[in-house]
């Protein structure tokens, strides 16, 4: 699913080709016992599903893009919710025509490289559902 090496608190993770990126990262964090981290990465995908939350309706609008795209920027964090790894990832994808799409990342299929830095944090923030925003917000 992935390979990795470590430099201090930072793990250098290579997601295997054709793996689903979000699931692979969650599995990596679970395997390594990482309960809090920052994430940044690059690579390429053959498809991605992005999510947009409409604050007015608190309804999610999901969009799937089945095309080859560069992961121009993958950023996010790892925390825990209900004792499990909770990923919060946003991504900007570059298209063939050099335009980009971006949003909250639900899933993406690696097609090429998937190079992600996972920097472990010493705190262990949790998450709690917030009625006002409809989001699982940090709980400190
Ligand atoms: Fe988000």
């Amino acid at each position: 699913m992935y390979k990795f090496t470590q430099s201090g608190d930072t793990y250098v993770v290579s997601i295997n080709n054709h793996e689903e990126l979000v699931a692979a990262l969650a599995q990596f964090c679970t395997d390594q016992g990482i309960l809090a981290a920052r994430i940044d990465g690059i690579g390429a995908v053959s498809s991605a599903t992005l999510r947009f939350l409409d604050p007015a309706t608190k309804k999610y609008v999901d969009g799937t893009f089945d095309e080859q795209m560069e992961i121009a920027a993958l950023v996010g964090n790892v925390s825990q919710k209900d004792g499990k790894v909770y990923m919060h990832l946003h991504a900007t994808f570059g298209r063939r025509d050099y335009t980009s799409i971006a949003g909250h990342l639900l899933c993406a299929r690696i097609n090429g490289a998937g190079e992600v830095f996972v920097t472990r944090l010493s705190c262990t923030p949790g998450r709690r559902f917030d009625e006002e925003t409809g989001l699982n917000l940090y709980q400190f």
Side-chain angles (χ1 to χ4, degrees):
M1 204 170 199
Y2 59 79
K3 299 177 280 294
F4 75 99
T5 186
Q6 191 174 355
S7 173
D9 292 332
T10 298
Y11 297 81
V12 180
V13 185
S14 176
I15 308 294
N16 291 349
N17 203 14
H18 310 305
E19 291 284 353
E20 197 285 296
L21 171 61
V22 179
L25 278 178
Q27 187 63 53
F28 170 77
C29 292
T30 300
D31 292 347
Q32 297 303 314
I34 296 172
L35 297 175
R38 62 184 299 166
I39 285 178
D40 59 281
I42 55 175
V45 301
S46 57
S47 71
T49 299
L50 299 173
R51 165 165 283 184
F52 183 86
L53 175 63
D54 185 338
T57 61
K58 296 182 190 174
K59 292 245 165 63
Y60 292 109
V61 184
D62 296 346
T64 296
F65 302 85
D66 289 311
E67 58 191 82
Q68 184 69 19
M69 297 178 286
E70 299 286 339
I71 306 172
L74 171 70
V75 294
N77 56 62
V78 178
S79 56
Q80 55 183 322
K81 185 172 187 296
D82 304 325
K84 291 183 180 167
V85 166
Y86 185 95
M87 318 281 303
H88 189 186
L89 300 172
H90 288 195
T92 302
F93 293 103
R95 293 174 132 163
R96 184 180 292 268
D97 66 359
Y98 308 109
T99 61
S100 61
I101 57 173
H104 180 102
L105 182 63
L106 278 190
C107 58
R109 183 69 54 186
I110 294 294
N111 196 33
E115 302 178 352
V116 185
F117 289 177
V118 179
T119 302
R120 186 195 286 267
L121 306 177
S122 56
C123 58
T124 53
R127 294 268 177 186
R128 183 173 54 189
F129 182 74
D130 178 69
E131 291 284 351
E132 182 187 347
T133 58
L135 298 168
N136 294 316
L137 295 181
Y138 267 138
Q139 181 181 25
F140 300 127

